[in-house]
Structures are given as C-alpha cells and as structure tokens.
Amino acid sequence: MPPAETYRHITVRPEPEGFGAEVTGVTLRQPLSPEARAEVMRAWAQHCVLAFPDQPLAHEELEAFTLQIGPFGEDPYVKPMPSHPNILEVRREPDEKSRTFGQAWHSDWSFLDTPPAATLLHSKVTPPVGGDTLYADGYRAYESLSPTFRRLLDGLHAVHSARRSYGLQGTFATDPEKRAMDIITGESAEASRSHPLVRVHPLSGRRALYINPVYTIGIEGMTEPESKALLDFLFARMLEDRFIYRHRWRQHMLTLWDNRCTMHFADGGYDGHLRVMHRTTVAGERPVGVQ
Ligand code: SIN
C-alpha cells in the first residue's frame, strides 16, 4: 500500500492504533472529483475505517455520497426512514431502557448471501457522554496467527444466521422495552448460510477473519462444543486491544467502514441522552475464501 503522503486530493491521518484513519480536505455534500474519489477508495482499502469530520449532510447528500462508493445494499430487519428507503435511522431516545442497537460485535448482515461491502454512519445528534463505535480489524487478527493455524482456518466455512437477534426467540423479539427504532423479527431470521471463515478481500487481496459473535453460530462439520471453542478463541484474538479502533463521535461526522474485514460495536453508555445517526449500506459480493 502507498504511504499516506502520496494522497494529493485528500488529507489522510492514520489512527495510531494502526487501523482506521481520519480524512479531511473533501466536502462530501458535493460530488467528489474522480481523483478525490479514487483517493478515498484507496484510503478506505488501506485503513478499513474512514472518519470524515465536519460534514453536515442532508438525506439526499448522504444518499448521493453512498452511491459514489457503490450501489445501495439490502438492509433487512430494520424499517428505513419512510421518505428515504435506503437510510436507517439509528435512534435512541433519552428515556429508552432497551438494549442499544448494535451493542454486540458484528459485521453488518453477514448472514445474507451477499452481505454489504460498506456501511456509512452519519452523526446527527451525539450525546455528551458515551455513544462511541468500536471497530475490530479482521486482517491483522488473522495475520497474527501462526502459519499452521492459518492454514487450518483457510479451509473452514462458518455458519451465519440472524436468529439470535431477529429470530422468534431472538434479542429483539423478546425484549419487552419500548424502542424508537422499528425492528422486524420473525421466522425468516431462523435461516442460516455458510461463508468462508477466512475471507479474501476482492480489492486488497488480503485475508481477514470473517466471523462475528452475533451472527456466526457455528463452523461447518464441527460439533457445537468444537465450534464454540474455536470461535471463542478467534473472537478473543480479534478483540485484543491492539486490533481495536475506538471512534469518538462529534456531530456531523461520517464513518465509512468495510464489513468484509472488520467488525463493529455500538458502545452505549449514554442513557438519559438522545443519540441519532443515519446509516446506509453499499452492496457487496458473495464472500470468497482462500482458493
Ligand atoms: C451499527 O451497528 O450499525 C450501529 C453502530 C452505532 O450506532 O454506533
């Protein structure tokens, strides 16, 4: 990957954790020049999570910027804004007692056949305390493992399902607390689908652990205790501090992250305060493993 100083149309400040970067020098409410867009895409491929501060965006501007990254993705189980079917409002009222949406490590909609490549999250109202989003780097977690262990993982497929969250007995179906977001639960969430446990990124060619504690429910061909032991070990590795970037929001910030090589977690911690974020996704491809 080229060093940060080779950017000419944007300014990229990598986070000291070695993952994630802040991008300035562009105005997202206007179409990017081809050169600036190419540099944003390059920075995204290099850093996996990009944060753009000071970017007030109307709904249409958020949609237009999303479409510069790629076509909209599918967003099941959460009702979108009625006037903007590709924007989800991630909203928590000050008096809500329900579990914070996204407060468990996940990669967006990994149970789909073609999960979204990217998610964009834009801050409208940020609480005075808490409300951070944490990101975990699936590339470096994979690369930290021994060659022998990596070879073993390269041949495995993990089973993903929405059932723990959106299924008949899932978190959202059984939570009696009122919530501002309109979440859909039901039978369709019980389905499961397998993806390679190690995903080869279509742009960078790098390998990443493609599993997450919310949607990954097992490993093909393994008993439950075997799957659990292996997944627990891998999740613990992915969540080591050295692989985490903590994003602290200010109003009018936008993050763009790559679901193919990261997990994320909404940290909560702002009970009594309003938090409003707008979220879009970009369509992805069927995950490809090591050939
Ligand atoms: C999400 O999981 O998409 C929500 C993240 C957040 O609200 O910080």
Side-chain angles (χ1 to χ4, degrees):
M1 290 286 181
E5 57 269 24
T6 61
Y7 294 99
R8 297 180 54 208
H9 301 272
I10 59 175
T11 303
V12 179
R13 188 184 59 77
E15 291 298 333
E17 292 88 347
F19 168 57
E22 185 178 82
V23 178
T24 52
V26 277
T27 305
L28 303 185
R29 62 193 327 171
Q30 290 160 4
L32 301 182
S33 66
E35 295 79 13
R37 181 188 175 275
E39 291 196 353
V40 166
M41 298 304 275
R42 179 152 61 85
W44 183 44
Q46 181 170 7
H47 299 287
C48 308
V49 183
L50 298 183
F52 301 81
D54 304 319
Q55 300 284 350
L57 292 174
H59 301 333
E60 294 73 18
E61 292 165 341
L62 173 61
E63 289 168 334
F65 178 63
T66 304
L67 290 170
Q68 289 185 74
I69 306 299
F72 290 122
E74 175 189 351
D75 279 303
Y77 302 121
V78 183
K79 285 215 179 119
M81 299 182 82
S83 54
H84 293 271
N86 292 299
I87 301 182
L88 301 187
E89 185 164 81
V90 179
R91 182 184 188 99
R92 197 164 195 274
E93 296 289 341
D95 62 349
E96 270 191 55
K97 302 281 181 291
S98 62
R99 189 187 173 131
T100 303
F101 179 79
Q103 197 174 26
W105 283 100
H106 62 287
S107 170
D108 283 331
W109 314 137
S110 69
F111 50 83
L112 293 177
D113 195 28
T114 54
T119 302
L120 295 87
L121 192 62
H122 186 239
S123 53
K124 308 303 270 192
V125 180
T126 49
V129 289
D132 297 348
T133 307
L134 278 64
Y135 296 93
D137 182 352
Y139 282 145
R140 285 184 304 137
Y142 172 79
E143 289 158 5
S144 73
L145 300 166
S146 70
T148 305
F149 195 43
R150 277 187 262 160
R151 269 194 299 279
L152 167 81
L153 299 179
D154 287 348
L156 298 179
H157 282 75
V159 184
H160 298 248
S161 171
R163 74 177 61 138
R164 287 183 188 146
S165 304
Y166 305 101
L168 299 170
Q169 297 305 317
T171 323
F172 292 108
T174 53
D175 184 353
E177 299 291 344
K178 181 168 81 59
R179 70 170 64 238
M181 293 175 66
D182 203 347
I183 299 201
I184 303 154
T185 58
E187 185 80 45
S188 71
E190 301 294 323
S192 59
R193 176 174 283 104
S194 292
H195 291 308
L197 189 148
V198 176
R199 184 168 183 175
V200 180
H201 196 285
L203 303 178
S204 70
R206 285 174 77 188
R207 300 177 187 186
L209 292 174
Y210 188 63
I211 47 173
N212 63 86
V214 173
Y215 301 134
T216 308
I217 60 169
I219 298 179
E220 265 188 18
M222 289 194 185
T223 63
E224 220 225 293
E226 289 166 350
S227 291
K228 184 171 176 343
L230 183 50
L231 289 172
D232 285 352
F233 171 82
L234 293 173
F235 294 147
R237 175 61 62 102
M238 294 169 92
L239 298 180
E240 287 181 16
D241 284 351
R242 60 187 165 143
F243 302 130
I244 306 293
Y245 161 56
R246 173 179 286 274
H247 179 73
R248 296 182 172 84
W249 292 95
R250 296 188 304 275
Q251 198 185 15
H252 304 317
M253 270 184 145
L254 179 126
T255 58
L256 161 66
W257 67 83
D258 194 325
N259 286 303
R260 299 168 289 196
C261 52
T262 66
M263 301 191 289
H264 59 281
F265 178 95
D267 198 26
Y270 55 94
D271 280 2
H273 302 282
L274 177 67
R275 182 176 185 264
V276 183
M277 317 287 282
H278 286 171
R279 200 183 100 141
T280 56
T281 55
V282 171
E285 55 289 311
R286 189 189 300 266
V288 171
V290 178
Q291 303 299 318

